[in-house]
Amino acid sequence: MSKTKNEYDISFFFPAIRTPKWVALYESLKLSCKRYKWELVLCGPFPLPKELQNIENVKHVKEDGCVSRAVQVGVLETTGKLIYLGNDDTLYREDAFDHSLDHYFKEAGPIDIMQATYVEGGNVQPNNYWTTAFHAAFHVPGIDQTWKLATEPIIPRDYFMEMGGFDCRWEYMDGSTHDFAFRAQRNGSEIIYSPVICGDMEWSPDHTGDHGPIHDAMCLHDNAIFQEMWSVPNDRLKIDYDNYKEQPGVWSRRFPTRVYESYEDLWDGEGYVAEYKPAPYR
């Protein structure tokens, strides 16, 4: 992969479908990152709302594939020295990214990663939550118990691409994010924590709202791949960045019959509901 001329200090990147939330997302980033030059890159099936069109530092990349594939495709269009990988149901705290980037540029080396800590569904976690040792699911022979997690990472863009980015066999980015962090730490990267909480994320369990395809991808597909790969010792390191091309261009869990024209059409067509909806299996 060739290196890209860096136009921005950081690209805030989101595999994204929730268009009604994007204006508030952008406005929160303006408050959170005032002293660094940044762009917002959203990658997904639905176009920008009119309020975000024709803004110099906002870009949309059309992609109908699964979440991990959207990350690979969209990151190719970023131009930041760093990339941040987030979720589009998050609002960011004032000055949080300024403080975090100050810390990153002071403490991090050229292949180091920052976990931009966040609150999900109102639940505040201690820093040791973002470690393999904290979670029983990671107590398997393939995973070093000194490794840390980076679920909302700030990464040097060129290093992300050098390592091959995400393995898109995982449909959702939970497994692919962990896999990337483990491979990077095996390669010598250190994961550091942001000095402040950066964002407040929503939480939609099971099939609540638009979360059903994500829940199903993790429970019915991705978790088995993760266990097969990491439950035994392995030598995973760098992978082929173009692995996303092996995955379908349309994510059938999200679009079982057709690709909708808008987020609102998706809700109506797939019968999503805002109230809690359990998965049809346990």
Side-chain angles (χ1 to χ4, degrees):
M1 285 287 175
S2 60
K3 293 187 177 182
T4 296
K5 180 181 178 181
N6 300 127
E7 298 182 16
Y8 295 93
D9 297 312
I10 186 167
S11 299
F12 293 112
F13 175 82
F14 299 84
I17 64 168
R18 302 177 180 104
T19 52
K21 299 182 182 295
W22 292 356
V23 173
L25 170 67
Y26 177 72
E27 294 298 327
S28 74
L29 286 170
K30 286 169 60 177
L31 293 174
S32 190
C33 194
K34 303 169 186 172
R35 292 188 282 103
Y36 291 89
K37 189 177 181 182
W38 57 270
E39 66 175 348
L40 170 62
V41 181
L42 300 145
C43 183
F46 307 130
L48 293 172
K50 64 180 183 345
E51 297 92 334
L52 295 181
Q53 295 173 10
N54 303 313
I55 298 178
E56 182 180 2
N57 69 331
V58 178
K59 181 187 299 183
H60 181 265
V61 181
K62 170 69 172 175
E63 172 58 37
D64 300 328
C66 72
V67 181
S68 292
R69 178 184 155 107
V71 171
Q72 296 290 92
V73 171
V75 165
L76 291 171
E77 302 302 320
T78 62
T79 58
K81 178 180 180 181
L82 302 173
I83 54 172
Y84 164 78
L85 305 180
N87 287 276
D88 69 344
D89 60 353
T90 307
L91 295 177
Y92 294 96
R93 298 187 180 189
E94 187 164 5
D95 300 320
F97 273 119
D98 278 335
H99 294 317
S100 297
L101 290 171
D102 288 346
H103 186 67
Y104 183 92
F105 286 120
K106 179 181 178 181
E107 300 294 338
I111 62 170
D112 291 340
I113 298 166
M114 175 175 279
Q115 164 68 345
T117 59
Y118 57 93
V119 173
E120 185 173 13
N123 296 309
V124 180
Q125 305 292 355
N127 276 350
N128 71 325
Y129 178 83
W130 315 106
T131 65
T132 55
F134 189 92
H135 300 273
F138 296 137
H139 296 177
V140 293
I143 298 176
D144 190 317
Q145 295 305 293
T146 68
W147 285 344
K148 298 176 182 178
L149 308 178
T151 53
E152 299 278 307
I154 295 173
I155 312 167
R157 179 191 184 275
D158 290 338
Y159 182 60
F160 181 78
M161 300 186 73
E162 176 190 334
M163 291 296 296
F166 282 177
D167 187 329
C168 296
R169 285 176 290 180
W170 284 288
E171 294 180 20
Y172 185 57
M173 61 190 289
D174 190 71
S176 50
T177 303
H178 293 321
D179 176 74
F180 177 86
F182 298 164
R183 291 186 287 111
Q185 287 170 99
R186 177 175 283 157
N187 193 54
S189 301
E190 181 182 352
I191 293 177
I192 61 176
Y193 301 122
S194 59
V196 295
I197 293 173
C198 291
D200 295 275
M201 186 187 302
E202 297 178 6
W203 181 61
S204 299
D206 286 18
H207 280 216
T208 304
D210 59 37
H211 193 255
I214 294 171
H215 183 86
D216 291 352
M218 294 174 65
C219 293
L220 303 179
H221 182 266
D222 291 3
N223 289 346
I225 296 175
F226 192 88
Q227 284 300 313
E228 179 182 358
M229 191 172 294
W230 285 100
S231 64
V232 296
N234 65 69
D235 59 357
R236 284 178 63 75
L237 200 61
K238 298 180 180 181
I239 62 174
D240 180 7
Y241 195 93
D242 285 343
N243 79 87
Y244 73 90
K245 296 178 180 179
E246 300 172 8
Q247 304 306 317
V250 174
W251 191 22
S252 60
R253 289 188 205 276
R254 177 66 74 196
F255 303 115
T257 58
R258 64 185 178 92
V259 176
Y260 295 91
E261 295 296 318
S262 70
Y263 183 67
E264 292 77 11
D265 288 344
L266 172 67
W267 266 71
D268 292 341
E270 296 302 316
Y272 295 159
V273 293
E275 297 78 18
Y276 171 70
K277 182 178 180 180
Y281 52 86
R282 286 293 178 183

